[in-house]
Amino acid sequence: MSTDLYDVIARRRDVRAEFSGEPVDLGQLRRVLQAAHEAPSVGHSQPWDFVLVFDEDTREQFADHVETERRAFAEQLEGERRTTFEKIKVEGIRESGLGVVVTYSPERGGQHVLGRHAIADTGLYSTCLAIQNLWLAATAEGLGVGWVSFYREEFLADLVGLPDGVRPVAWLCLGPVRHLQAVPDLVRHGWRKGRSLDEAIHLESWRG
Ligand SMILES: Cc1cc2nc3c(=O)[nH]c(=O)nc-3n(C[C@H](O)[C@H](O)[C@H](O)COP(=O)(O)O)c2cc1C
């Protein structure tokens, strides 16, 4: 048995502050995107696309928008939650050098996507699996990934020119890192402790 995969899974982190600012190697980027593209998908519909945003001006515009949304969220918080949140960096859009916008196209795969007739969300699930493959492959390559979701979908769709009906699912900051933290940022900063595996396992029934 190889433990390499388990090691990569354990080392993977959501990266905000550790990007080195160096450009991503294009060979590595290609391999990471290939890994994403090999994800399972409902009806083999492969409903994802990857918009690669290197342009500084576009990243700057996105970062400004994210800052507005970060502030909007902060304003919903009070007391200790507010103070704790304000210490947490929620993106590395400028520092990472590359934004990968992962999108979901519900039309992909035609009218009868095998396995999606009862659960429309399976298309979205498939796209998230591509993201997870990308994230793990990037970790194996020594790159960092940070998922940013502090944005309005219409804003990002417009910014990167998505066709009607194509949804942005994630803005992924991607780039070389100085190191990966051993502990998730939200745990380190006291936002959430996380739960144990035993709390998540239910035997036979949720009620059991
Ligand atoms: C759907 C999704 C959206 C996320 N959005 C953000 C975000 O906007 N900003 C951020 O800093 N981290 C974001 N994260 C990262 C999580 O905060 C992170 O995965 C979690 O705290 C666990 O840390 P780890 O990924 O380092 O294990 C997101 C993660 C997921 C899966």
Side-chain angles (χ1 to χ4, degrees):
M1 184 182 99
S2 163
T3 54
D4 289 357
L5 177 63
Y6 288 97
D7 175 56
V8 169
I9 289 171
R11 281 193 297 112
R12 183 211 55 80
R13 277 280 78 77
D14 186 86
V15 175
R16 293 104 158 155
E18 291 79 17
F19 291 109
S20 67
E22 295 160 284
V24 60
D25 174 89
L26 295 183
Q28 283 187 317
L29 176 60
R30 182 79 196 177
R31 288 196 292 275
V32 164
L33 293 174
Q34 184 68 44
H37 195 59
E38 282 171 20
S41 60
V42 65
H44 202 39
S45 53
Q46 299 177 300
W48 48 72
D49 283 88
F50 310 101
V51 183
L52 308 180
V53 184
F54 292 96
D55 184 69
E56 227 170 274
D57 181 54
T58 310
R59 287 189 291 117
E60 194 68 39
Q61 285 183 56
F62 184 63
D64 288 347
H65 172 73
V66 166
E67 177 53 20
T68 308
E69 290 300 326
R70 191 198 67 77
R71 264 191 257 124
F73 179 68
E75 275 158 25
Q76 295 170 11
L77 304 172
E78 287 174 3
E80 174 278 323
R81 288 286 82 185
R82 177 87 180 246
T83 324
T84 304
F85 176 71
E86 290 292 4
K87 285 186 234 150
I88 299 171
K89 183 169 166 58
V90 297
E91 50 82 16
I93 300 161
R94 294 180 180 87
E95 303 91 321
S96 63
L98 171 62
V100 180
V101 181
V102 185
T103 64
Y104 167 53
S105 299
E107 303 296 317
R108 183 83 41 76
Q111 209 189 336
H112 300 290
V113 174
L114 186 156
R116 205 184 66 184
H117 78 285
I119 305 175
D121 284 346
T122 48
L124 214 43
Y125 303 161
S126 306
T127 305
C128 293
L129 292 172
I131 294 173
Q132 180 70 346
N133 268 15
L134 182 157
W135 211 333
L136 294 174
T139 308
E141 294 279 354
L143 300 170
V145 171
W147 185 324
V148 183
S149 56
F150 281 74
Y151 62 82
R152 297 290 152 175
E153 288 192 21
E154 319 80 68
F155 178 90
L156 183 51
D158 186 50
L159 185 69
V160 298
L162 302 186
D164 280 350
V166 175
R167 286 181 66 184
V169 177
W171 174 292
L172 303 176
C173 302
L174 176 66
V177 282
R178 286 186 294 273
H179 63 277
L180 292 173
Q181 296 288 348
V183 177
D185 278 12
L186 299 194
V187 178
R188 287 193 304 125
H189 294 296
W191 179 258
R192 266 183 82 80
K193 282 201 182 72
R195 52 204 288 257
S196 71
L197 171 61
D198 286 334
E199 286 175 84
I201 295 175
H202 307 266
L203 203 54
E204 310 298 355
S205 150
W206 186 284
R207 295 185 299 273

